[in-house]
Amino acid sequence: MTNRSKILAAVAVAAAMGMTPSAFAQGLPDSMTWSAYDVGSAGYAEASAIADAFGKKYGTRIRIQPSGSSIGRLQPVLTKRAEIGFLATETFFATEGVHDFSERRWGPQDLRAIAGRPGAFGVFTAGDNGIKQLKDLKGKRVAFVAGNPSVNVKCEAFLSFAGLSRSDVEAVTFPTYGAAMSSVAQGLSDASCTTTTPSQVYELEQSPKGIRWLDVPPDDKEGWARLKAVAPFFQPLRETVGAGISEAKPANILAYRYPIMVVRADMDDNTAYAVIKALDETYGMYKDATKVMPRWKLDVAGTPSIDAPFHPGAIRYLKEKGIWTAEHQQWNDDRMARLTALRGAWAKTLVEGKGKSDEEFGKIWDAQRAMALKAL
């Protein structure tokens, strides 16, 4: 019997036993649920493209659950109603126990990354409104998103770069990320913060208004010091992909990881291994779905720095591919030590803060967190 005949026979046996190609050959679950940003966002589009590739190659059925809030995307993962979250900086906040995740019911979450592509983030305005620099946002309407610290802290970081704060602008809060991104085109805000490739920014670019991305000069040391005090995970980026952006017309904005494939720490190693392997093996099927999809190549998306430690199952595959280095392992060990220390500090806070008011609890957590980080 030829090798091909053996494979076909094995697949036939698997089918007779009710097993899908994915269950038989890849180790992926037969069906999965993924959470992602709103429909129309870059994260949703990329999750959809990858899910489609998984389905076509392995037969895995994937349902994508969109949400406009960071808690709405993360909670399904934590409660095991979703296996993977296509998340953004809420991953960092959740593992650190800060912003919305500093509340008594949250604290530092035990999350792991499978992979996450480098992404760009910037402040955009209409091209015809006269706003040309970040400092021009003073007194203007700036869009924020209800319940979404991932977006809001980034917007605040941009303001800090220019020496501004929320009190210096008219902060307009929208119920969803998609609504905030659409607000400039609709005349409901003067500026919004997002990645460079969602459908809403392309729609603005193609409208009579046009689009402008506000410059974040990489050599402005004072501006960057103010920005990093708010959002230490950002780096300078000369972006050439996005609405109104090209090689001929680049934008100096910010780099971070988005979307990140985030899972619980207790995901089985073999499942995490199967997911990243499938991500790698289907790369050719989804890489042309959007202009930034080539950044999902594992030698880029499967390396630190990222917002949570990498899952051991993912690391195993990255080692097999020759991507994971000793430097990467050291980064992961350090990130795990930080997460472990914060989770230990949270346990102490829960004991010390029992019966205390929310305000008192917050002060205890701030003190415990600071001590834990100082001891690292």
Side-chain angles (χ1 to χ4, degrees), residues 329-351:
Q329 187 62 51
Q330 184 61 58
W331 178 91
N332 212 66
D333 291 345
D334 291 344
R335 188 65 181 84
M336 273 301 308
R338 181 184 178 99
L339 179 54
T340 300
L342 288 173
R343 286 176 61 79
W346 183 256
K348 293 178 182 177
T349 300
L350 290 176
V351 173

Side-chain angles (χ1 to χ4, degrees), residues 8 22 34 136 138 204 208 262 279 328 345:
L8 290 174
S22 64
W34 298 352
D136 296 337
K138 187 172 183 179
L204 179 61
V262 179
L279 184 71
H328 296 155

